[in-house]
Amino acid sequence: MNDTTSAPVGPAVGPAGAADGPRYDFRDAEPKWQAAWSERACFAVADVPTDGKPKYYVLEMFPYPSGKIHMGHVRNYTLGDVVARYKRARGFAVLHPMGWDAFGLPAENAARERGIHPAKWTHENIDAMRAELKRMGLSLDWAREFATCDPEYYQHQQKLFLDFMKAGLVERKESWVNWDPVDGTVLANEQVIDGKGWRSGAPVEKKQLSQWFFSITKYAPELLSALDTMDRWPERVRLMQSNWIGRSEGARLRFERAPWKPDNASFPIDLDEPDAGYDKIEVYTTRPDTLFGMSFLAIAPEHPLAAAVGARDPKAAAFIAECRSMGTSEAAIETAEKHGHDTGLRVKHPFIEGATYPVWIANFVLMEYGTGAIFGCPAHDQRDLDFARKYKLAVPPVVLPPGADPATFAIGKEAYVGPGTAYNSEFLNGLDVDAAKRAAIDALAARRMGEGVTNWRLRDWGVSRQRYWGCPIPVIHCDSCGVVPVPDDQLPVRLPDDVTFDRPGNPLDHHPTWKHVDCPRCGKPARRETDTCDTFVDSSWYFARYCCASATDRPLVRAAVDHWMPVDQYIGGIEHAILHLLYSRFFTRGMKDTGHIAVEEPFAGLFTQGMVNHESYRTAAGPNGMWLYPEEVEKQPDGTARHRVTGEPVIVGRVEAMSKSRRNTIDPGDIINRYGADTARWFILSDNPPERDMEWTEAGVAGAFRFTQRVFRLAEGVGPAAPKPDTVGSHGRTLRRVTHKTIAAVTGALEDFAFNVAVARLYELANAITDAERAAAEPGLDWARREAVEVLARLSAPMMPHLAEEVMALLHPDATTLVADFPWPEAEPDLLIADSVTIAVQIMGKLRGTVAVPPDSAADAVIAAAEAEPNVANALAGKRIVRRIHVPNRIVNFVIAG
RNA sequence: GCGAGAGUGGCGGAACGGUAGACGCAGUCGACUCAAAAUCGACCGCCGCGAGGCGUGGGGGUUCGAAUCCCCCCUUUCGCACCA
């Protein structure tokens, strides 16, 4: 596939045993050990194991089959593989599967642009990427592989959809969508850029469509409260989800409309017909305590009352149209300006007899949140204040800040939103904000005008997509029976193969026959639903399917899923912090409530990795500069860079995310060809903590490569196996201490996801082995070196699995057990105790010297030794010691007077 | 605007409140070599000849002792963003 001859640089790796150069040839070793693992099915586990081992489920977010793996994949799968191999060595039965998130728009784009069928494009990409992943030497159970575009997968998703429907978790409702009139499809918010479709460039329209929704809001309370128990998730992600779900406590109250009084003849409207249904306007507020500070009521332009007003008042209609033309994204850009239109209608205050307030249509009120209507309290809400100042509305203050004088306190340009005491508020006067809220809600309830409510920001999940390459939504529309679920025995609803992409819109809709079916209920001609599922649905249950990937008769086999789930360690990018992870949490609850599984939280542990970045290069500053690939650039000793071929000067840009447009990508396949998988894995782990963004550098990879060679050389340098000697000399003992401390340190680092620290400890062990190589011969030293090299290999195995096998095979030519099947090394406790510890000696917290004492020495002895240390004694001369602090095995600190 | 992180040598980064800079990268010098690569050895925070002093974004504080804990500020990254 990839050819090494095109690589411009790289180490000269000759065949093993060549006269010069490194002896360890990864090109020979890596495929050999991959084949060995595969032949022995080292990483296969049963759906329902009977070996009694504790289970551990490691999962990395599955890839979209774009065609090639990228460095982000390499990092993701390396991190997961380290965990999987480590846990396996620790005695766990490890489930570590892989598959493909294979539906989605790029396949359709390829079909449109290049005439390749989406299925063909997708499967070719999967084949290419599978081959690349296999070259990484991952400890995967490939028998569980699937792609979400396989009917064998999506048929079960259709079954789940129908079960969710039965359980009331699926709804069909009208909703406003972003509609691209050129592509003839709904766009997600992220696909609308500056009010235009991201592909067509056409202005996006707001359109009301009937769409399928998952009722994720039904689970809002538990999706929020469970976050508190998810202590193995990053705090950041939990917070983001919490904000996204957006619980708020407040009140819902109904304002009665005041009778219509035509004090201004220019308002030609009359909504006082008894059956109009506009006699009350419901609002949501988190500040019922500020009700006496009301000065207006405002409704969203999409509010039904606004439409009713617009039908009678052309000026109002024009204002509403103006608001609608400002798309959602544009509104976000122009956040400052608030606009409104006075309807002429008025509402009564719930508590103040005879007081009425104007009803405005305002662009800053959102129909999607709360009730689409607010009461305006300008003194204590910044938005309301901006609006009131612009339209010269009253600003009565009703919350007095602590210490402020009620006679002089006034609102300027800033609303007062802090704590305080209610005033100008009749029965609320004197109460603090919280007490006033409760009192106001009680009063509203007593009058049957309102009640306390909990409001959520989370909206239901719209899953309809007018696209071909997705899971068909398994329902049929019948003119007589309405929406009819496809019966189980007619599943799967397969995508037709013979589709065309020569015109905009949904190919399923254009297909000559596919959508025409008979109603399963009454038998009359009916239509298939042509919407397909959002691809986030596919990824909302794949983790459970892996547990029983070959089951054909049902989506999930309970015994298997209940055994393996939840995922013990999930690893992926932070970009999925909200959508994928929240949808999966919802879906898992849905699967539980429809009887498919027992767990309700899918991912017990979550780790979010950083990105892989790289320098970018271009030929000149400004718009004329051409981006260059890293392999086109040659670094100069003076730090500048030039073009490898033309010699042109090159501008070295920022270190930023790898992207095709900036050409600062590094192809993992190329790296594996030149350096091997172990080198790539080692470098990616060693560079920095895995949760942070890392920089991919040529020098770093080369350094990692040198280390692989060095480890092999250390192994070649040790003698044949021998029984443990009775006595070990001092160099040997020193080495053995390092060896066993390294076992403890690397174990701890791996448990903590501090893989860069684990790498550092292994470098230290290698350095200690090198020191021992140079030491004079003594009894037991050879044995200790051999032990150290074995430990080095075995501790490195989760990171560099091929090299570890090669080293152990070298040391044990007749061995039949693979390192992949070895248990994790155990440190000998005796060797973790040093025979001497270095105590820092401080005077007034400043280091003045060190003393070496036996571990756990008595305080008196340590202090005496510290005072005797020449440098310390010198500094203490003539001073009065007022206090002597001794921290066992660590420090002595003298506090002196004067 | 709101919320949450992060600021440590030339770089990536280590460091239970206890010897700041482990380990790696880059660099300097040396050995080997006709030479280069590879390998090996030494050095490698700043000031100072030295003794020593100064150093973890800035300023305060707690403590015998602070990169670490607390308060204020600065910079920066990310998330949400007219959410009533």
Side-chain angles (χ1 to χ4, degrees):
Chain A
M1 187 183 60
N2 287 307
D3 195 295
T4 58
T5 52
S6 65
V9 290
V13 177
D20 295 336
R23 304 280 191 81
Y24 170 61
D25 185 359
F26 65 86
R27 284 176 187 145
D28 175 60
E30 291 188 349
K32 178 178 71 189
W33 295 115
Q34 285 160 18
W37 299 324
S38 175
E39 274 158 29
R40 301 200 193 183
C42 288
F43 311 121
V45 286
D47 283 5
V48 185
T50 52
D51 54 17
K53 285 185 183 177
K55 72 97 181 177
Y56 200 89
Y57 185 178
V58 185
L59 185 66
E60 305 98 49
M61 291 178 184
F62 65 166
Y64 177 79
S66 58
K68 286 193 142 202
I69 64 169
H70 55 67
M71 278 300 169
H73 292 129
V74 175
R75 196 175 195 195
N76 195 181
Y77 302 136
T78 299
L79 293 174
D81 203 47
V82 171
V83 175
R85 286 179 180 269
Y86 169 70
K87 288 291 178 184
R88 231 174 87 72
R90 292 303 298 261
F92 289 88
V94 173
L95 174 60
H96 189 207
M98 180 58 69
W100 310 94
D101 186 15
F103 274 135
L105 199 53
E108 282 190 60
N109 293 337
R112 276 180 224 281
E113 287 157 17
R114 284 179 274 158
I116 309 170
H117 192 279
K120 182 169 154 51
W121 183 85
T122 302
H123 283 113
E124 285 175 1
N125 287 348
I126 288 173
D127 290 344
M129 290 174 72
R130 183 193 301 109
E132 290 194 282
L133 286 185
K134 288 201 169 181
R135 296 183 62 211
M136 284 184 63
L138 303 169
S139 62
L140 292 164
D141 183 359
W142 281 102
R144 294 171 187 276
E145 176 190 4
F146 58 73
T148 57
C149 64
D150 300 336
E152 294 73 27
Y153 180 80
Y154 71 69
Q155 66 173 344
H156 300 301
Q157 186 164 309
Q158 292 173 338
K159 168 74 174 150
L160 290 173
F161 185 98
L162 295 173
D163 286 351
F164 276 30
M165 206 162 140
K166 246 180 265 171
L169 295 174
V170 176
E171 253 188 288
R172 185 169 169 79
K173 56 188 180 187
E174 291 267 307
S175 78
W176 290 96
V177 296
N178 304 305
W179 181 258
D180 186 323
V182 171
D183 278 356
T185 185
V186 167
L187 298 179
N189 285 332
E190 302 78 42
Q191 294 167 337
V192 182
I193 297 156
D194 288 340
K196 296 187 175 117
W198 67 313
R199 293 195 59 78
S200 69
V204 169
E205 296 171 3
K206 286 213 141 191
K207 191 168 166 179
Q208 264 200 321
L209 277 186
S210 238
Q211 303 271 297
W212 289 99
F213 285 84
F214 280 125
S215 305
I216 189 169
T217 51
K218 286 191 178 156
Y219 291 96
E222 50 182 299
L223 287 171
L224 182 69
S225 62
L227 288 173
D228 292 338
T229 67
M230 291 155 61
D231 56 350
R232 289 184 52 231
W233 277 43
E235 182 60 33
R236 185 159 68 123
V237 175
R238 288 192 284 166
L239 197 77
M240 279 161 73
Q241 291 216 348
S242 171
N243 290 339
W244 187 265
I245 296 167
R247 178 194 154 100
S248 76
E249 293 273 8
R252 190 170 294 181
L253 64 146
R254 291 164 289 281
F255 284 91
E256 230 176 279
R257 279 230 351 271
W260 168 245
K261 269 193 265 166
D263 52 61
N264 182 339
S266 70
F267 289 111
I269 56 170
D270 179 5
L271 293 173
D272 285 339
E273 305 118 31
D275 58 346
Y278 300 121
D279 54 325
K280 282 184 179 144
I281 305 172
E282 190 169 57
V283 306
Y284 171 74
T285 178
T286 56
R287 295 297 302 271
D289 59 308
T290 63
L291 264 169
F292 288 95
M294 176 172 186
S295 78
F296 63 94
L297 188 143
I299 60 175
E302 297 86 11
H303 196 283
L305 178 59
V309 171
R312 292 162 174 81
D313 175 3
K315 280 189 189 163
F319 177 77
I320 294 165
E322 186 195 320
C323 291
R324 190 168 298 168
S325 73
M326 293 210 311
T328 42
S329 56
E330 202 155 345
I333 294 163
E334 199 200 351
T335 54
E337 198 60 14
K338 293 186 169 49
H339 298 286
H341 173 86
D342 187 352
T343 61
L345 304 173
R346 296 189 78 84
V347 290
K348 297 180 192 169
H349 196 278
F351 301 135
I352 308 172
E353 195 63 39
T356 68
Y357 301 88
V359 176
W360 289 66
I361 302 168
N363 67 341
F364 71 95
V365 181
L366 304 177
M367 191 61 218
E368 305 85 47
Y369 188 78
T371 63
I374 61 156
F375 85 83
C377 175
H380 305 292
D381 183 286
Q382 191 60 45
R383 292 153 303 172
D384 296 350
L385 183 64
D386 294 343
F387 190 77
R389 293 295 188 219
K390 175 160 179 173
Y391 293 104
K392 312 240 179 319
L393 300 165
V395 185
V398 290
V399 179
L400 191 66
D405 178 357
T408 58
F409 178 66
I411 300 292
K413 284 188 174 160
E414 302 251 313
Y416 180 72
V417 297
T421 311
Y423 74 130
N424 299 334
S425 295
E426 299 188 1
F427 63 90
L428 299 178
N429 285 344
L431 299 175
D432 67 29
V433 168
D434 283 338
K437 281 181 185 172
R438 286 193 297 270
I441 289 171
D442 289 347
L444 288 168
R447 289 168 168 78
R448 296 182 184 280
M449 299 177 80
E451 53 278 321
V453 293
T454 303
N455 198 46
W456 304 88
R457 184 184 171 280
L458 185 69
R459 323 252 170 82
D460 278 337
W461 172 19
V463 296
S464 286
R465 296 292 181 271
Q466 291 70 42
R467 303 227 170 90
Y468 166 72
W469 197 233
C471 170
I473 291 174
V475 301
I476 290 163
H477 299 278
C478 171
D479 287 337
S480 311
C481 311
V483 170
V484 180
V486 172
D488 282 0
D489 61 5
Q490 291 177 27
L491 294 181
V493 176
R494 281 174 181 271
L495 288 169
D497 288 329
D498 53 335
V499 284
T500 55
F501 296 89
D502 49 2
R503 54 179 165 145
N506 183 352
L508 292 177
D509 212 26
H510 305 151
H511 193 277
T513 57
W514 185 78
K515 69 178 173 183
H516 302 293
V517 290
D518 292 337
C519 172
R521 201 164 287 164
C522 69
K524 283 191 248 176
R527 284 162 292 110
R528 270 195 200 292
E529 173 63 67
T530 57
D531 284 352
T532 51
C533 285
D534 180 2
T535 56
F536 275 115
V537 180
D538 312 336
S539 55
S540 288
W541 70 286
Y542 79 109
F543 42 85
R545 177 68 186 172
Y546 277 138
C547 303
C548 49
S550 54
T552 54
D553 61 332
R554 68 193 86 172
L556 300 166
V557 176
R558 280 205 63 151
V561 180
D562 292 350
H563 174 79
W564 288 108
M565 286 292 288
V567 175
D568 294 277
Q569 188 63 61
Y570 197 38
I571 305 172
I574 187 74
E575 67 274 15
H576 295 108
I578 296 175
L579 295 184
H580 163 59
L581 292 170
L582 190 61
Y583 293 151
S584 297
R585 295 183 59 215
F586 157 73
F587 219 85
T588 301
R589 284 181 155 72
M591 291 190 289
K592 177 180 176 243
D593 290 351
T594 49
H596 286 281
I597 59 176
V599 296
E600 53 187 20
E601 280 296 339
F603 312 121
L606 173 69
F607 188 88
T608 54
Q609 67 183 76
M611 288 191 303
V612 184
N613 296 337
H614 196 276
E615 279 180 341
S616 57
Y617 310 100
R618 53 197 321 183
T619 52
N624 296 326
M626 299 266 293
W627 294 107
L628 297 174
Y629 293 106
E631 55 267 30
E632 294 178 288
V633 176
E634 197 166 49
K635 291 285 186 70
Q636 302 297 298
D638 62 0
T640 62
R642 65 179 191 191
H643 194 283
R644 191 173 292 280
V645 177
T646 68
E648 257 183 293
V650 168
I651 294 166
V652 178
R654 290 193 302 143
V655 175
E656 52 195 327
M658 289 188 183
S659 84
K660 278 180 196 150
S661 61
R662 280 188 292 270
R663 298 195 169 181
N664 62 338
T665 54
I666 299 292
D667 174 26
D670 191 35
I671 293 295
I672 293 173
N673 286 339
R674 285 158 56 199
Y675 295 103
D678 283 341
T679 292
R681 294 166 60 120
W682 185 254
F683 171 57
I684 223 161
L685 293 164
S686 67
D687 189 58
N688 68 347
E691 67 276 12
R692 293 195 208 165
D693 289 354
M694 69 171 287
E695 184 190 357
W696 186 274
T697 60
E698 189 68 27
V701 187
F705 179 80
R706 285 198 299 271
F707 186 67
T708 63
Q709 299 300 324
R710 186 174 163 214
V711 170
F712 197 74
R713 275 199 312 276
L714 291 174
E716 286 179 314
V718 301
K724 183 174 180 177
D726 295 332
T727 55
V728 176
S730 77
H731 292 295
R733 281 201 307 273
T734 302
L735 179 58
R736 292 206 71 214
R737 270 205 188 85
V738 175
T739 300
H740 287 262
K741 279 186 172 161
T742 303
I743 294 172
V746 169
T747 304
L750 294 184
E751 291 283 350
D752 292 346
F753 261 78
F755 301 140
N756 56 324
V757 179
V759 166
R761 295 288 98 88
L762 290 168
Y763 272 110
E764 285 173 339
L765 177 56
N767 292 344
I769 298 168
T770 301
D771 290 346
E773 276 182 346
R774 293 204 198 96
E778 62 177 27
L781 182 56
D782 286 346
W783 184 86
R785 272 174 56 197
R786 200 181 153 90
E787 177 193 45
V789 169
E790 285 196 18
V791 166
L792 176 62
R794 289 169 61 192
L795 294 179
S796 303
M799 293 95 133
M800 299 195 286
H802 312 87
L803 178 64
E805 298 284 5
E806 193 73 14
V807 165
M808 291 302 278
L810 179 72
L811 296 183
H812 299 275
D814 302 324
T816 54
T817 307
L818 297 176
V819 178
D821 288 328
F822 273 26
W824 193 244
E826 298 271 356
E828 290 178 22
D830 295 353
L831 290 168
L832 297 180
I833 302 161
D835 52 11
S836 157
V837 292
T838 305
I839 305 287
V841 185
Q842 297 179 338
I843 298 172
M844 300 297 281
K846 293 254 182 232
L847 184 70
R848 284 293 178 262
T850 58
V851 290
V853 297
D856 301 319
S857 296
D860 291 351
V862 177
I863 288 168
E867 287 186 51
E869 203 276 338
N871 211 26
V872 175
N874 201 27
L876 286 175
K879 300 284 184 349
R880 189 166 60 87
I881 300 172
V882 294
R883 206 173 148 191
R884 294 170 175 82
I885 289 142
H886 171 245
V887 180
N889 298 328
R890 289 208 175 269
I891 206 159
V892 171
N893 190 13
F894 296 108
V895 184
I896 56 178

